[in-house]
C-alpha cells in the first residue's frame, strides 16, 4: 500500500515515473494515485519513497522518518582501486573484528539487491575460531573418510592434490578462517542462483573496505550441499538451500603490489 500525503506532494510525478510496475498513476486531481488492484505487483522497492524530495510518500508503512540521509559515496577512482586491490585472504590474525565494523557489515545486508526485491535471503554468520573449528572438524572427518574409499581419486583425478592436503589435515574448505557468512535462499526464489552471490560479493567489498580479509569458499558450498550434519547446523529456514559461502576475518598478510592479471575477453558493441 502506497499512501501520498497531499499536503506535502508537489505533483512533480517523480514517484510515478520511477515506479517499475506502475502501481502509481496520475489521478484526476494530478496527484499520484495508488492502484489498489495492482498492489500485488508492487515490489516494495521503495523507489517512490526514495525519489520523493518532499517526504510525501509512505510505502508499505515505511515513511520519510525511516529513510536515511544520502551520504557521500566513494568516487570512481577509489572504487576501482578497491576492486583491483581486494585479494583473497588465506592467512588470518586472531584479533577481534571491531564492533563498529561488525555492525556495519551486518546491518548493510538489508540493502543487498535481489531479483524481484525478494527479501527472503537468509544469512548465517559463524563468528569466531571456536565455532568455525566445529565446522572444520566435521568437514575434515567426512572428507577424510571419503578420500580413504579412493573413489574421489578415480572420479576427480584433477583434485588429487587437495585430497593429499585433506589427509594431511589442512583445512582446504574453510582455509582456517575465523569467521564465515553463508547466504541461502528459498529453493523456489525467483533468482536463487544469483542473489546469494551478489549479496556476498557486496559483503566482500564492504569487508575489504573496512580492513578485513575475505575468501570465497566454493568448496564450502559443495560441503554444505553434500553434508547434512553441517547444513543442519546453519539453522536455515525450512525449504532453503545454501547459495554462497564467504570466509572473513582480520588478515595476517598485506600485499605490497597489485597483480597484473591476464585480461578477460571483452567485446564492446
Ligand atoms: C566462485 C568462487 C569460488 C572460489 N572458491 C574458493 C575456494 O573454495 N577456496 C579458495 O581458497 N579460494 C576460492 N576462491 C578464490 C579464488 O581462488 C581467487 O579469487 C582467485 O584465485 C583470484 O585471487 P584473488 O581473489 O586474490 O584476486 C573462489 C573464488 C570464486 C570467485
Amino acid at each position: 500500500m502506497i499512501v501520498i500525503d497531499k499536503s506535502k506532494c508537489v505533483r512533480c510525478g517523480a514517484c510515478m515515473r520511477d515506479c517499475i510496475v506502475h502501481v502509481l498513476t496520475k489521478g484526476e486531481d494530478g496527484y499520484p494515485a495508488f492502484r489498489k488492484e495492482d498492489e500485488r505487483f508492487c515490489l516494495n522497492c521503495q523507489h517512490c519513497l526514495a525519489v520523493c524530495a518532499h517526504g510525501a510518500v509512505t510505502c508499505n508503512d515505511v515513511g520519510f522518518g525511516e529513510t536515511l540521509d544520502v551520504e557521500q559515496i566513494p568516487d570512481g577512482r577509489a572504487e576501482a582501486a578497491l576492486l583491483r586491490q581486494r585479494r583473497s585472504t588465506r592467512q588470518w590474525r586472531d584479533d577481534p573484528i571491531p564492533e563498529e565494523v561488525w555492525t556495519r557489515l551486518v546491518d548493510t545486508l538489508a540493502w543487498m539487491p535481489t531479483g524481484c526485491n525478494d527479501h527472503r535471503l537468509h544469512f548465517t554468520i559463524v563468528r569466531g575460531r571456536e565455532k568455525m573449528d566445529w565446522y572444520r572438524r566435521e568437514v575434515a572427518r567426512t572428507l577424510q573418510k571419503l578420500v580413504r574409499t579412493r573413489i574421489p581419486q578415480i572420479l576427480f583425478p584433477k583434485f588429487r592434490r587437495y585430497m593429499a592436503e585433506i589427509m594431511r589435515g589442512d583445512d582446504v574448505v574453510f582455509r582456517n578462517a575465523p569467521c564465515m557468512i553463508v547466504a541461502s535462499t528459498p529453493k523456489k526464489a525467483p533468482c536463487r542462483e544469483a542473489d546469494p552471490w551478489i549479496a556476498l560479493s557486496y559483503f566482500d567489498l564492504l569487508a575489504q573496505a573496512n580492513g578485513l580479509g575475505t575468501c570465497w569458499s566454493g568448496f564450502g558450498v559443495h560441503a554444505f550441499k553434500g553434508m547434512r550434519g553441517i547444513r543442519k547446523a546453519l539453522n536455515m529456514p525450512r525449504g532453503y538451500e545454501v547459495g554462497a559461502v564467504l570466509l572473513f576475518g582480520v588478515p595476517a598478510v598485506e600485499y605490497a603490489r597489485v597483480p597484473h592479471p591476464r585480461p578477460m575477453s571483452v567485446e564492446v558493441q
Side-chain angles (χ1 to χ4, degrees), residues 83-84 86-90 162 172-175 197 208 214-221 245 247 255 259:
L83 293 177
R84 286 192 298 258
R86 66 146 298 285
R87 295 273 74 75
S88 296
T89 296
R90 300 181 185 89
Y162 290 117
V172 298
V173 175
F174 301 119
R175 300 285 180 202
W197 289 100
Q208 297 231 0
T214 60
C215 187
W216 289 105
S217 180
F219 284 145
V221 175
V245 179
L247 311 167
Y255 296 94

Side-chain angles (χ1 to χ4, degrees), residues 143-145 147-148 162-170:
L143 287 181
Q144 288 180 351
K145 220 154 81 185
V147 173
R148 274 194 212 102
Y162 290 117
M163 293 168 207
E165 288 175 6
I166 288 163
M167 294 316 282
R168 217 167 53 209
D170 293 354

Side-chain angles (χ1 to χ4, degrees), residues 50-72:
V51 80
C52 179
H54 308 280
V57 179
T58 300
C59 177
N60 298 313
D61 296 326
V62 179
F64 181 79
E66 280 110 329
T67 57
L68 307 181
D69 289 337
V70 170
E71 288 182 78
Q72 179 82 41

Side-chain angles (χ1 to χ4, degrees), residues 126-176:
V126 181
R127 182 178 184 173
R129 194 163 287 288
E130 241 174 72
K131 289 191 182 138
M132 281 300 296
D133 283 348
W134 182 84
Y135 287 92
R136 262 188 272 282
R137 273 196 306 274
E138 290 298 305
V139 169
R141 203 161 48 85
T142 309
L143 287 181
Q144 288 180 351
K145 220 154 81 185
L146 199 65
V147 173
R148 274 194 212 102
T149 65
R150 309 208 60 78
I151 294 169
Q153 287 86 331
I154 297 164
L155 291 181
F156 310 104
K158 253 177 47 191
F159 291 109
R160 279 201 179 154
R161 181 173 64 83
Y162 290 117
M163 293 168 207
E165 288 175 6
I166 288 163
M167 294 316 282
R168 217 167 53 209
D170 293 354
D171 177 18
V172 298
V173 175
F174 301 119
R175 300 285 180 202
N176 296 312

